[in-house]
Amino acid sequence: MLKYIVARSMWAIPTLIFVSFISFVIIQLPPGDFVTAYAAQLRNSGDFISETEEALMRARYGLNDPLLVQYWRWISNIVLHGDFGRSLEWNAAVGDLIWERLGLTLLISTLSMVFTWLIAIPVGVYSATRQYSVFDYVFTVFGFLGKGIPDFLLALVLMWMTYIWLNLDVGGLVSPQFEGQPWDLPKIVNMLSHIWIPLLVLATGGAAGLIRVMRANMLDELRKPYVETAYAQGFGERTVVWRYPVRIALNPFISTVGWALPALFSGDVITAVVLNLPTTGPLLLQALKMQDMYLAGSFILILSVFTVIGTLLSDILLALSDPRIRFS
């Protein structure tokens, strides 16, 4: 097992180097650069900068340097000094911009993932063991509706219903009077009155899909001979179901840990924009729109690192739960 973990970890290093370079190149592919986008934004607002000023800005930010020089300057500062560079649009350190939003992003994403699993696993098991029952049909309809309704539309409907029926303004994570204030008990209580909507929106869409996956996997496992053997040995239904087929049916959930880590960091961008959440998703979207290369590149690099680490964790967990993977 140790040999397997070491081998998988060694493969992660060149993967990260390759992904970081590709990420930086992709950000540079659209025509123009940050100065071009910045000048266009000024023109749209009725202001402008001269070509000389644009040239000076490009020289100051090193945008005229060759791509490899820019990449090496960026990645070497990250690896050697932990410096992600400076956001050209926000004129602030990229690390400060990311880390100040990361806490709320991880809180919302982690809670939504936990709620998703708490809903999807027991409901999927129930639907499989009570196939074609009334509640199986109810959960099937819920699954189709949850997958068919976009998260941002559900967020808009919930915001409207909450405003009309409860007279609450649920945009953002806290009320306007608490924005920019230090965290204390009243602010936390106020946040709890807002956070349930993003959790409900994110958990509904995720649970709807996972319920169908869990139900399908369980139906496959329940028909296998080892389940009949367990029943024949006198075990009760609850013991047989939760001890054997559920364990195998959870393999797809374990394998998605690799996707969960970057999702925790990025969150649902569209939902976050609609709900005006101060998370990392809207910041990433704005960085890509403005071609803020150091901010956008850092986001993509961190997402890539989380994906590689998550995939490594998935492989290790799968190898622990299923020895066939370890020796194949």
Side-chain angles (χ1 to χ4, degrees), residues 9-216:
S9 302
M10 294 303 294
W11 272 109
I13 296 175
T15 303
L16 285 175
I17 296 173
F18 178 75
V19 167
S20 68
F21 179 72
I22 293 298
S23 303
F24 197 81
V25 171
I26 289 175
I27 294 169
Q28 304 280 355
L29 286 180
D33 52 26
F34 165 74
V35 177
T36 306
Y38 178 66
Q41 189 183 46
L42 287 180
R43 281 195 297 274
N44 292 334
S45 62
D47 203 350
F48 71 95
I49 58 175
S50 65
E51 293 185 357
T52 304
E53 290 174 311
E54 290 186 27
L56 288 174
M57 287 184 68
R58 286 194 176 89
R60 187 196 318 163
Y61 296 132
L63 301 180
N64 295 324
D65 294 337
L67 177 64
L68 286 177
V69 174
Q70 293 185 51
Y71 169 74
W72 175 250
R73 183 168 57 226
W74 172 64
I75 198 67
S76 60
N77 281 332
I78 293 176
V79 174
L80 300 177
H81 309 292
D83 181 9
F84 287 88
R86 197 164 186 83
S87 168
L88 306 179
E89 183 189 6
W90 296 80
N91 193 25
V94 169
D96 294 341
L97 291 172
I98 292 177
W99 304 133
E100 73 178 12
R101 293 177 177 235
L102 188 59
L104 289 174
T105 305
L106 292 178
L107 174 66
I108 294 173
S109 301
T110 304
L111 289 178
S112 65
M113 187 178 71
V114 170
F115 285 155
T116 298
W117 284 35
L118 288 178
I119 295 171
I121 294 175
V123 171
V125 172
Y126 179 88
S127 293
T129 54
R130 302 289 186 274
Q131 191 180 17
Y132 304 133
S133 65
V134 174
F135 282 106
D136 181 30
Y137 285 117
V138 170
F139 294 136
T140 299
V141 172
F142 168 77
F144 288 145
L145 288 177
K147 291 300 292 180
I149 299 176
D151 287 350
F152 73 89
L153 181 60
L154 181 59
L156 288 173
V157 171
L158 284 176
M159 290 177 68
W160 177 79
M161 294 171 62
T162 309
Y163 180 76
I164 295 297
W165 293 345
L166 302 179
N167 197 26
L168 291 175
D169 180 11
V170 292
L173 271 185
V174 294
S175 299
Q177 64 268 27
F178 289 101
E179 291 182 358
Q181 301 296 323
W183 286 97
D184 53 14
L185 184 59
K187 186 172 181 176
I188 294 174
V189 173
N190 184 266
M191 183 192 70
L192 294 177
S193 67
H194 288 71
I195 200 173
W196 65 273
I197 284 191
L199 292 183
L200 182 60
V201 171
L202 296 174
T204 299
L210 290 179
I211 285 173
R212 305 304 300 167
V213 172
M214 190 69 191
R215 181 181 183 275

